[in-house]
Amino acid sequence: MAIVFDSVVHNEAETTKSSQSEVLNGSVEKPKTGFGAARYVMTWLPTVGVFIVLVAIAAIGHLTHWKIPKFSDLTRPNAASTGSWCESHGVKESECINCNPELIEKSIELSFCRTHGVKGCVLCTPSLAQTKEPASINESDRLRAKIALELIPRKENLATSASPGKRIQFASLESMKKAGVDVEPVERRSTTERILASGEVRYDATKTASVSPQSDGIVQGVLVEMGQWVERGEVLALVDSQEVGKLKTDLVASLKEYRVRKATVERLTPLAGSAVPLTRLLESENELLLVNTKMESIASMLSNLGIHVNLETLATTDSEKITAAVDELGQIAHANVNSNGITNRRNLVTIVAPISGRVVARNLTLGQVLNRGVEAFRLADTRTMWLELRVTSEDAALVKKGQVVQYRPDGSGKVREGVVSWISTEVEPQTRVVRVRAELSNDEQDLRNESFGRGSIVLRNEADSIVVPENALQWDGTGHLIFVRDAKFFDDGRPKFFVARSVRPGVHQDGFVEILAGVLPGEVIATKGSDVLRAQLLKSNLGAGCTCGH
């Protein structure tokens, strides 16, 4: 305001000087009117408007003593009522059941239930339930509460709380609606308590194989493609190995020599000691033994390369067929083998699938030089996959083998189920999580290795839990509360009130909360607007006192 005033004075001074100059020069003009004056007035309107609003707010605040509306202001009927008004409880003094306890039956003195952790337990004392018909307890409800309370440490209610059992009264049904309080019945729903964790899908390591050639060589044929399913024992590739060729050549020579040495021994045996010296027979037998030892050594080396040799069968094979029989060693019949046009079969060694599975890696091409031990193929049985969940160290204590695991891959709405099969015995030092593994069926082959998603470990799965809407649950600083409507709420002449009930909540799910103990199906509770009841209850607990004189 000071800046505007200074500006106006400065402008007037300048105008005065200009006017004097014009008078001296003989060129005086008439003052401007119309739009110029309107523009001048408009510049002041925002400031004046703000000033008027502030004055109005100050006046209203002074008249109301700067206080927010009371519970009684919300519940007081619009029409003028006769008789004094109980400002503390929001009803007529003559109708206030808190100030005049004789107007209604005396409330039952509540005791704290150590089993369920609530004050005034309807599971142990069904008569406390606000139902039209006498309430009966289902034993499954007690068992469900017992299991849930033993499973996880849950927030406790104070045994000394003064809130349970207190009555919050309304002047009428209309005043309750005016306060924005809505009600719903307690119902039953299925609930699931679970541990949430991120998950990663991997191949089952017990059903995965890294396949490599048994000896160095050059790739002569690749018989499978990426993603192809192969059976155990199926030929995957053919490799030309000089080492295998040399061993087979030595084996053929040894077999032929063995046949000669054996024939010599058989011929000399009947003649030894008469026509032939005994020493000659002993020398022949020794030579036969050396040849046999050499054959066994070659057969052992071929066996180390994955080629099985039956020396007894080869030893009795016709001389003309020995070479062909040795060349075929280690080659498993396959539909595609004969179509490769390979003529030198002696050097060939086959790479065979050790398990049934899908080819998930192929690291060779025709003509490539392969060394023994280098991975040529990787096979994985993708009919089952591993799911690794990373569970916090705090939740890991709740995980047990055999628990159901549910998993939803990222970008998919389909949920898979498995069971916990392994729990790590260590906590990862950086992330402080524990790895938990489950096996998932993959019959549709749509789970991918190293893909991510969201998993959960089911701790409890209840089909018939007692639940209430989440907005019905309140906390007064000493425990969880729900406000239960009086069972005779609609009886003629009956005071309209709710009773504060101590409850023990369980799992929250889909906008509802499971109640382990405290209410029963058939009772009606305050939902929307229950915070209004809580505010009035807290006011009473703070010891604001009754202003009606009783």
Side-chain angles (χ1 to χ4, degrees):
M1 294 294 291
I3 295 175
V4 175
F5 178 76
D6 292 342
S7 176
V8 172
V9 173
H10 178 73
N11 290 337
E12 289 179 351
E14 292 294 332
T15 302
T16 303
K17 292 180 180 178
S18 177
S19 300
Q20 294 174 353
S21 176
E22 290 174 351
V23 170
L24 292 175
N25 295 330
S27 59
V28 178
E29 295 181 1
K30 295 180 180 181
K32 295 181 180 180
T33 60
F35 290 108
R39 182 181 299 173
Y40 178 75
V41 172
M42 290 295 293
T43 59
W44 283 88
L45 284 180
T47 304
V48 173
V50 172
F51 181 76
I52 293 173
V53 171
L54 293 175
V55 171
I57 293 175
I60 295 172
H62 178 73
L63 293 175
T64 59
H65 303 286
W66 299 100
K67 293 183 179 180
I68 61 174
K70 300 180 180 180
F71 178 76
S72 58
D73 297 331
L74 294 174
T75 59
R76 186 192 299 270
N78 292 326
S81 58
T82 60
S84 301
W85 192 263
C86 178
E87 297 293 341
S88 296
H89 303 121
V91 295
K92 294 180 183 179
E93 289 185 7
S94 60
E95 297 176 358
C96 181
I97 61 174
N98 291 290
C99 299
N100 304 289
E102 68 276 1
L103 295 177
I104 196 172
E105 65 273 8
K106 186 178 180 181
S107 59
I108 302 175
E109 186 176 351
L110 303 178
S111 60
F112 189 79
C113 177
R114 299 290 177 183
T115 303
H116 302 118
V118 294
K119 192 171 184 179
C121 180
V122 293
L123 287 181
C124 298
T125 312
S127 59
L128 295 175
Q130 295 292 332
T131 54
K132 292 184 178 181
E133 302 294 333
S136 60
I137 299 299
N138 191 338
E139 279 301 321
S140 61
D141 291 331
R142 289 195 179 103
L143 179 60
R144 179 168 48 251
K146 181 177 183 297
I147 294 174
L149 292 173
E150 291 177 352
L151 179 65
I152 298 176
R154 304 181 189 275
K155 198 168 185 178
E156 297 182 355
N157 301 319
L158 293 181
T160 57
S161 175
S163 297
K166 284 196 172 181
R167 296 165 173 175
I168 310 300
Q169 187 179 1
F170 288 93
S172 64
L173 183 60
E174 290 72 19
S175 64
M176 185 185 82
K177 293 179 179 179
K178 181 182 176 182
V181 177
D182 200 0
V183 295
E184 290 185 30
V186 179
E187 57 182 308
R188 292 187 183 271
R189 283 177 176 241
S190 61
T191 57
T192 302
E193 189 160 19
R194 62 186 77 212
I195 297 173
L196 299 177
S198 60
E200 181 180 3
V201 174
R202 294 184 178 275
Y203 293 128
D204 186 340
T206 63
K207 299 178 181 178
T208 304
S210 177
V211 187
S212 60
Q214 298 289 339
S215 63
D216 302 342
I218 300 173
V219 178
Q220 294 295 312
V222 181
L223 309 179
V224 295
E225 300 295 334
M226 278 286 293
Q228 181 178 334
W229 183 271
V230 297
E231 299 295 335
R232 179 179 181 181
E234 188 172 339
V235 177
L236 306 178
L238 301 173
V239 177
D240 186 334
S241 172
Q242 290 185 355
E243 181 183 4
V244 172
K246 182 178 182 304
L247 288 174
K248 286 184 176 181
T249 301
D250 293 343
L251 181 60
V252 170
S254 298
L255 284 170
K256 291 181 176 180
E257 184 180 358
Y258 175 80
R259 294 174 69 88
V260 173
R261 299 299 182 186
K262 184 177 181 181
T264 300
V265 170
E266 291 176 348
R267 180 173 54 83
L268 294 178
T269 298
L271 302 176
S274 55
V276 178
L278 186 59
T279 56
R280 178 72 181 90
L281 176 62
L282 293 176
E283 290 175 358
S284 297
E285 290 178 345
N286 187 48
E287 291 172 352
L288 177 62
L289 180 62
L290 291 175
V291 173
N292 187 64
T293 302
K294 183 179 180 181
M295 286 193 308
E296 290 178 349
S297 176
I298 294 173
S300 177
M301 287 187 286
L302 287 172
S303 179
N304 291 336
L305 297 177
I307 300 175
H308 176 69
V309 179
N310 190 335
L311 290 177
E312 294 182 1
T313 302
L314 291 175
T316 58
T317 304
D318 294 341
S319 299
E320 297 80 7
K321 299 180 179 180
I322 287 179
T323 300
V326 172
D327 288 347
E328 294 295 331
L329 290 176
Q331 298 182 30
I332 301 175
H334 191 277
N336 296 329
V337 173
N338 295 328
S339 64
N340 284 275
I342 300 172
T343 56
N344 183 16
R345 307 179 69 83
R346 175 168 294 183
N347 292 4
L348 288 183
V349 60
T350 56
I351 300 178
V352 180
I355 64 170
S356 296
R358 197 170 299 279
V359 180
V360 296
R362 194 189 99 161
N363 304 316
L364 75 172
T365 57
L366 285 175
Q368 178 181 345
V369 177
L370 278 182
N371 296 324
R372 182 179 182 181
V374 174
E375 182 180 86
F377 299 94
R378 178 172 289 274
L379 305 180
D381 188 346
T382 55
R383 291 172 294 189
T384 59
M385 303 287 281
W386 276 356
L387 171 65
E388 286 197 358
L389 298 174
R390 287 163 174 78
V391 180
T392 62
S393 55
E394 294 80 8
D395 290 337
L398 304 174
V399 182
K400 303 290 186 295
K401 285 186 178 181
Q403 288 176 331
V404 175
V405 173
Q406 295 178 339
Y407 173 74
R408 184 176 62 81
D410 289 342
S412 173
K414 187 175 182 180
V415 177
R416 304 299 186 88
E417 284 196 359
V419 294
V420 175
S421 59
W422 174 79
I423 305 170
S424 177
T425 56
E426 61 182 9
V427 178
E428 293 185 359
Q430 295 181 345
T431 59
R432 308 308 298 170
V433 297
V434 177
R435 291 185 298 144
V436 177
R437 182 184 300 152
E439 293 184 2
L440 301 178
S441 175
N442 190 31
D443 294 334
E444 298 180 7
Q445 299 293 301
D446 55 352
L447 291 177
R448 310 296 179 188
N449 183 50
E450 296 185 358
S451 62
F452 295 92
R454 195 67 176 168
S456 62
I457 302 171
V458 178
L459 302 179
R460 289 190 305 121
N461 193 5
E462 305 292 350
D464 208 25
S465 296
I466 300 172
V467 299
V468 299
E470 285 185 329
N471 57 3
L473 187 65
Q474 297 292 335
W475 173 264
D476 73 337
T478 60
H480 287 101
L481 296 173
I482 285 178
F483 295 94
V484 183
R485 192 179 71 183
D486 175 33
K488 302 177 182 179
F489 190 85
F490 292 103
D491 290 358
D492 292 338
R494 178 77 172 181
K496 311 302 181 186
F497 66 90
F498 287 76
V499 180
R501 182 77 60 76
S502 174
V503 296
R504 201 77 182 274
V507 62
H508 291 250
Q509 179 179 315
D510 301 330
F512 289 84
V513 58
E514 177 191 24
I515 301 299
L516 302 175
V519 292
L520 294 178
E523 294 188 286
V524 179
I525 59 172
T527 54
K528 180 182 178 182
S530 60
D531 52 340
V532 174
L533 298 171
R534 171 180 173 271
Q536 179 64 12
L537 177 67
L538 291 178
K539 176 184 175 182
S540 176
N541 288 346
L542 286 173
C546 179
T547 60
C548 63
H550 289 272

